[in-house]
Amino acid sequence: SDGLGNARKSDGYLIQGTYAIGAVKFGVNYGVSKLDLATGGDDPFLLKENSKVTGGIYYSLAKNLTILGEVSGVKTQAHNGNENKSTNGNFGAFMSF
């Protein structure tokens, strides 16, 4: 709500897919999260939409150890039209047990 009890509607989605060739897996996902203004008037600087797309490569060294690299493009928009963008990368390892 907007602090005065006026409801805000929110919705979003996430789409993801992967494809493996031997010990290497390629993946991509895209997601969006949206937040409407409250009906009683609201601050136009508030978040309107976040979106992110990520692509990754995952290499299975062992049954429970994966090395990975990912790159993401992130964008956020306010209701007044302001926006912010970022590109991020990460590399690491994932161990399951």
Side-chain angles (χ1 to χ4, degrees):
S1 74
D2 67 358
L4 299 174
N6 299 309
R8 291 188 181 119
K9 180 184 170 201
S10 65
D11 60 275
Y13 58 89
L14 176 69
I15 300 169
Q16 179 171 306
T18 60
Y19 183 75
I21 302 172
V24 179
K25 181 166 55 172
F26 301 91
V28 64
N29 69 51
Y30 178 74
V32 174
S33 177
K34 298 178 183 181
L35 182 62
D36 292 343
L37 291 175
T39 57
D42 219 336
D43 185 351
F45 291 95
L46 289 175
L47 168 76
K48 178 180 180 182
E49 180 177 303
N50 280 328
S51 62
K52 183 177 111 171
V53 61
T54 299
I57 300 174
Y58 312 89
Y59 180 73
S60 181
L61 288 174
K63 184 177 179 180
N64 66 340
L65 180 60
T66 301
I67 303 298
L68 61 98
E70 296 178 327
V71 175
S72 297
V74 182
K75 180 179 175 183
T76 188
Q77 295 176 300
H79 284 275
N80 67 357
N82 289 347
E83 66 179 36
N84 191 1
K85 297 178 183 179
S86 176
T87 301
N88 309 294
N90 67 67
F91 301 94
F94 174 78
M95 179 179 272
S96 62
F97 52 93

